[in-house]
Amino acid sequence: RLAGLLQNALATSAKELLSDFLQQMRGCELTLPYEFLPQALDTTDAEIRGLLLPVLGERGRWLSQFRSEWSWVVQGIGVLSGADREALKQVWDVGNIRDRCGVLGTLHRADPAQAREWLAATWSTDSAEHRGKLLQTFAASLAADDEDFLEERLDDRSSVVRQVAANLLAQLPQSAFVRRMIERAEPMLALETVGRFRKKIQLTCNPPETIDKAWERDGIPAKPPSGRGKRAFWAESLLATIPPSHWSDKFATQPAALIEAVREDTFAEAVLVGWTEAAGKFADARREP
């Protein structure tokens, strides 16, 4: 019955009913039935598009790449009218955290600068949990212009917020954050050729004995989790922030060969786990696995 109502709202462009429906779906963390996706992707109303984005799901995002008129899913809503912004602002001012996250994500796709302004204006009054959730909404439309704002969040009093900011900065390959991480990691890894007759390459990892406050600011805790060695933990955490393709380029060696080259090292597990985390983190950018 609900699916029938939704289909009717889509077909008749009943904006008020459709808005309520989509808000309820977002609140319940539901995604659109796949058979409704083409019809939903044909929507041209900016406000409805904003409500659709959180409920399209992975299948909807995948499908949107096959028609140029559906590119709004990837690009975000290019233009928001004054009425659209007023409606978003009203929800931003009085909505719950889930509603506010939806608003901020929509606004950031259309106007990243204003999204940063709205978030900065309430930053001091939002709880740490809410600050982290709101900041995370930038991930879907992250851009280089977000770097300065995110750098400031690295000084937040909440470790949760600092970690979100660090994770987002790691997604900006040209950021100062990534350069700092690479500068810390490069002296840690060394590649050499060993063997007198049957030569092979060997990768060694030599993590630091101590780290300073600058590392902690960038999201690497000085104290490792219980049961973890600090040097291995620091190596793993650091390597997880760097695109794996960097190491292929630096050592002019294919990923599979680098994996084999580090297997016998004392810190092999930490290196491989860090690389694995980085491969998942940077997969969307089609970097080397």
Side-chain angles (χ1 to χ4, degrees), residues 2-65:
L2 290 173
L5 288 172
L6 175 58
Q7 187 174 33
N8 183 63
L10 283 167
T12 60
S13 300
K15 185 171 181 177
E16 185 174 349
L17 175 60
L18 187 55
S19 296
D20 289 342
F21 217 115
L22 295 174
Q23 289 176 22
Q24 291 294 327
M25 289 184 66
R26 183 180 64 198
C28 296
E29 299 184 352
L30 298 175
T31 56
L32 284 173
Y34 68 87
E35 61 268 26
F36 296 167
L37 289 174
Q39 196 171 7
L41 291 170
D42 282 336
T43 299
T44 58
D45 184 276
E47 183 179 348
I48 297 300
R49 282 181 171 183
L51 295 171
L52 280 168
L53 286 170
V55 301
L56 287 174
E58 183 177 355
R59 190 191 299 258
R61 292 188 291 273
W62 169 83
L63 185 62
S64 70
Q65 68 184 303

Side-chain angles (χ1 to χ4, degrees), residues 7-237:
Q7 187 174 33
N8 183 63
L10 283 167
T12 60
S13 300
K15 185 171 181 177
E16 185 174 349
L17 175 60
L18 187 55
S19 296
D20 289 342
F21 217 115
L22 295 174
Q23 289 176 22
Q24 291 294 327
M25 289 184 66
R26 183 180 64 198
C28 296
E29 299 184 352
L30 298 175
T31 56
L32 284 173
Y34 68 87
E35 61 268 26
F36 296 167
L37 289 174
Q39 196 171 7
L41 291 170
D42 282 336
T43 299
T44 58
D45 184 276
E47 183 179 348
I48 297 300
R49 282 181 171 183
L51 295 171
L52 280 168
L53 286 170
V55 301
L56 287 174
E58 183 177 355
R59 190 191 299 258
R61 292 188 291 273
W62 169 83
L63 185 62
S64 70
Q65 68 184 303
F66 293 103
R67 294 182 65 177
S68 60
E69 57 266 42
W70 294 344
S71 63
W72 61 268
V73 174
V74 175
Q75 298 172 357
I77 303 168
V79 178
L80 288 174
S81 68
D84 292 331
R85 290 174 190 267
E86 289 178 9
L88 289 175
K89 189 62 166 65
Q90 184 175 6
V91 177
W92 172 255
D93 289 338
V94 302
N96 58 33
I97 184 58
R98 183 175 289 132
D99 292 335
R100 294 179 72 220
C101 284
V103 164
L104 196 63
T106 297
L107 183 63
H108 190 268
R109 290 182 178 91
D111 190 343
Q114 187 165 50
R116 294 191 295 268
E117 289 175 9
W118 284 16
L119 183 54
T122 64
W123 193 262
S124 62
T125 56
D126 284 321
S127 68
E129 179 185 3
H130 288 183
R131 293 198 303 275
K133 288 181 177 179
L134 289 165
L135 192 61
Q136 183 60 41
T137 64
F138 286 11
S141 49
L142 192 64
D145 287 346
D146 291 318
E147 181 180 356
D148 290 345
F149 185 87
L150 294 172
E151 275 284 344
E152 293 177 8
R153 305 313 121 185
L154 292 177
D155 294 315
D156 192 86
R157 60 185 180 274
S158 167
S159 61
V160 173
V161 174
R162 294 196 301 271
Q163 191 61 62
V164 172
N167 289 342
L168 292 174
L169 283 165
Q171 300 294 321
L172 298 174
Q174 304 304 317
S175 67
F177 175 89
V178 171
R179 292 196 298 273
R180 292 196 299 270
M181 291 304 192
I182 289 174
E183 288 171 1
R184 291 165 180 153
E186 284 192 340
M188 193 173 67
L189 296 181
L191 189 69
E192 62 179 336
T193 301
V194 298
R196 186 173 180 180
F197 299 107
R198 300 185 63 182
K199 296 183 182 296
K200 66 176 183 178
I201 58 172
Q202 180 175 294
L203 186 68
T204 57
C205 178
N206 185 28
E209 297 284 351
T210 60
I211 63 173
D212 57 28
K213 292 292 185 180
W215 285 55
E216 294 184 67
R217 179 180 183 271
D218 284 341
I220 299 181
K223 185 177 180 180
S226 178
R228 296 291 308 277
K230 61 182 183 180
R231 297 181 70 202
F233 173 70
W234 293 336
E236 177 185 316
S237 301

